[in-house]
């Protein structure tokens, strides 16, 4: 399987020339998700909603609060980008079931490109008749104000990589040498250089993500028109520094980015500053950037864990360990960040 897809990439490079990292990443990520359900112990990686129902329940409470801050509109639209197995949405909808009017007014749109995962989502969410699927955010049918969420979605959008040397800016590419995929550099096109930070050091890699920027702009435009708010959770950085963050994960281990092409999960850390700038450029209300640990604790995850432990004493240590994985700085608590922004209302978002 891997070799077959690697051949597709190799042929494309042999025909069209060296491939920039962004094109490589988008082709590989699409292939990866198209062909599998990668989550869980037997898969390649585990995400926050797959660790514990507490994660989705608290996001559900956050959404319900934002909805009330908008005056409990009906209809309104909830959009989730990259819903994976659908677990986060299941927990959100369970947690909001008793919020008067929330389900009655809600229309949910899931943005998913993978047919395999769409099928899983349809199965776990079959009891709800107000869910639609689309492949891109531009296709969302908007009814009323919008609440938009994405967990570990932005990291899957492609980055491009650049390095400055004596000959000017070079772009990192994938090429073929002796029949093998390998990394190299080519003279960079001028058009993308405006995205690079103003101060740079030679011989270091800088990442930029035109794809994330386009996505952020589309979110801002959507929210500007409809009113509403967005919440994104992902791993990434809040200071722009040099470095190659492109990573491949397979069977819960880091692996070679050019090995197992299309069979390992390819991601890159999210530049949260770039998101903030995109929101500022479109005059949005930026909520800030906080760590996942801080955010979940501000939303009351410790209390929620206690309540669950009292209700299910046999699961007490399992709940403790899930809590620890989600909020401890040595686990997901620090490296994962939460950010959000809003339009059309004066929000006081919980957790920021
Ligand atoms: N949010 C889920 C899954 C994260 S994995 C969780 O937390 O468990 C990334 C998800 O984004 C997968 O569902 C994948 O199929 C989807 N995805 C990746 N690239 C995408 C793209 N360009 N457009 C839409 N969905 C995409």
């Amino acid at each position: 399987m891997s070799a077959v897809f690697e051949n597709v990439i190799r042929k494309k490079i042999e025909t069209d020339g060296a491939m920039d990292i962004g094109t490589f990443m988008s082709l590989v990520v699409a292939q990866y998700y198209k062909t599998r359900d990668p989550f869980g112990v037997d898969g390649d990686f585990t995400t926050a909603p797959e660790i514990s129902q507490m994660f989705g329940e608290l996001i559900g409470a956050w959404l319900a609060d934002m909805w009330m801050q908008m005056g409990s509109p009906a209809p309104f639209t909830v959009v989730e980008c990259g819903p994976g197995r659908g677990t986060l949405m299941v927990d959100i909808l369970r947690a909001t079931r008793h919020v008067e009017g929330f389900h009655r007014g809600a229309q949910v749109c899931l943005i998913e490109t993978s047919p395999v995962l769409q099928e899983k989502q349809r199965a776990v969410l079959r009891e709800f008749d107000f869910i639609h699927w689309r492949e891109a955010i531009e296709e969302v049918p908007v009814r009323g104000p919008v609440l938009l969420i994405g967990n570990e979605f932005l990291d899957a959008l492609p980055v491009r990589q650049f390095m400055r040397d004596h000959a000017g800016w070079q772009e990192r590419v994938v090429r073929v040498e002796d029949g093998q995929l390998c990394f190299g550099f080519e003279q960079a096109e001028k058009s993308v250089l405006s995205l690079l930070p103003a101060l740079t050091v030679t011989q270091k890699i800088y990442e930029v993500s035109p794809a994330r920027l386009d996505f952020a702009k589309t979110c801002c435009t959507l929210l500007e028109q409809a009113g509403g708010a967005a919440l994104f959770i992902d791993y990434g950085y809040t200071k722009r520094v040099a470095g190659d963050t492109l990573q491949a994960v397979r069977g819960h281990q880091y692996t070679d980015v050019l090995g197992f092409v299309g069979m390992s999960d390819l991601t890159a850390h999210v530049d949260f500053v770039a998101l903030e700038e995109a929101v500022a450029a479109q005059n949005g209300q930026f909520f800030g950037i906080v760590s996942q640990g801080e955010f979940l604790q501000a939303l009351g995850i410790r209390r929620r864990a206690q309540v669950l432990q009292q209700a299910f004493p046999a699961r007490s240590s399992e709940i403790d360990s899930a809590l620890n994985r989600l909020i401890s700085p040595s686990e997901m608590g620090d490296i994962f960040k939460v950010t959000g922004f809003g339009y059309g209302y004066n929000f006081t978002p919980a957790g920021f």
Side-chain angles (χ1 to χ4, degrees):
M1 254 321 261
S2 172
V4 174
F5 189 66
E6 198 182 312
N7 278 340
V8 172
I9 298 279
R10 197 182 307 124
K11 291 232 166 66
K12 199 166 161 50
I13 293 174
E14 280 163 357
T15 314
D16 303 344
M19 187 181 276
D20 69 80
I21 300 290
T23 306
F24 177 75
M25 195 172 161
S26 65
L27 292 173
V28 171
V29 169
Q31 168 71 13
Y32 176 75
Y33 283 109
K34 196 165 78 183
T35 49
R36 78 204 62 235
D37 168 357
F39 307 100
V41 183
D42 301 328
D44 290 327
F45 61 97
T46 303
T47 57
E50 300 297 331
I51 290 172
S52 167
Q53 66 185 71
M54 295 186 285
F55 184 82
E57 289 168 348
L58 293 172
I59 303 284
W62 190 89
L63 289 170
D65 179 49
M66 295 299 273
W67 175 70
M68 286 179 201
Q69 290 188 34
M70 296 193 295
S72 308
F76 72 105
T77 304
V78 177
V79 181
E80 184 184 355
C81 301
R85 281 181 171 169
T87 310
L88 176 57
M89 190 49 73
V90 166
D91 290 335
I92 287 171
L93 293 176
R94 191 169 34 74
T96 52
R97 179 161 290 178
H98 300 297
V99 178
E100 180 56 35
F102 192 92
H103 280 214
R104 223 176 315 118
Q107 163 181 281
V108 173
C109 185
L110 301 185
I111 310 292
E112 177 60 73
T113 41
S114 160
V116 175
L117 291 175
Q118 249 199 46
E119 202 175 301
K120 295 237 160 182
Q121 294 153 17
R122 284 182 198 278
V124 294
L125 290 160
R126 64 189 169 278
E127 66 178 288
F128 303 103
D129 60 5
F130 49 73
I131 306 192
H132 311 268
W133 277 261
R134 292 291 185 277
E135 290 197 4
I137 183 125
E138 290 81 2
E139 298 162 11
V140 171
V142 171
R143 291 178 62 215
V146 172
L147 292 170
L148 193 88
I149 52 162
N151 184 60
E152 290 208 47
F153 172 74
L154 298 171
D155 63 41
L157 299 182
V159 294
R160 292 170 71 173
Q161 297 183 328
F162 298 88
M163 187 193 69
R164 187 160 60 84
D165 66 9
H166 62 277
W169 281 102
Q170 312 289 323
E171 177 157 16
R172 195 159 181 236
V173 294
V174 179
R175 54 161 74 114
V176 178
E177 267 171 33
D178 299 328
Q180 299 287 321
L181 294 182
C182 61
F183 287 116
F185 283 95
E186 290 213 331
Q187 193 75 37
E189 284 167 42
K190 293 238 162 29
S191 60
V192 280
L193 298 181
S194 63
L195 295 175
L196 288 161
L199 290 177
T200 52
V201 177
T202 55
Q203 304 294 344
K204 294 223 186 263
I205 287 183
Y206 290 88
E207 289 180 346
V208 295
S209 178
R212 283 184 201 143
L213 215 52
D214 284 350
F215 175 76
K217 284 182 190 164
T218 308
C219 291
C220 291
T221 305
L222 178 73
L223 294 177
E224 224 174 351
Q225 286 164 358
L231 186 75
F232 288 102
I233 304 126
D234 226 307
Y235 45 89
Y237 46 96
T238 53
K239 271 202 188 87
R240 229 175 241 163
V241 284
D244 165 20
T245 75
L246 186 63
Q247 63 186 37
V249 168
R250 179 173 157 80
H252 302 266
Q253 308 273 340
Y254 290 108
T255 155
D256 180 0
V257 168
L258 298 181
F260 302 107
V261 179
M263 291 183 83
S264 59
D265 182 43
L266 217 53
T267 58
H269 286 210
V270 173
D271 177 355
F272 283 94
V273 184
L275 279 182
E276 179 172 4
E277 285 171 0
V279 175
Q282 271 175 264
N283 300 314
Q285 179 192 354
F286 190 68
F287 299 159
I289 306 164
V290 293
S291 70
Q292 175 172 301
E294 287 172 288
F295 182 76
L296 294 177
Q297 287 181 84
L299 260 48
I301 194 167
R302 287 184 186 278
R303 180 78 198 110
R304 181 67 192 138
Q306 279 170 358
V307 169
L308 283 174
Q309 283 171 323
Q310 275 154 13
F312 307 99
R315 289 177 46 206
S316 189
S317 69
E318 176 204 323
I319 293 166
D320 264 339
S321 103
L323 176 68
N324 186 54
R325 278 183 79 182
L326 291 174
I327 67 173
S328 163
S330 61
E331 301 267 347
M332 299 172 81
D334 223 12
I335 177 101
F336 278 78
K337 313 276 190 260
V338 184
T339 193
F341 46 91
Y343 283 87
Y345 299 84
N346 190 13
F347 289 109
T348 310
F352 288 94

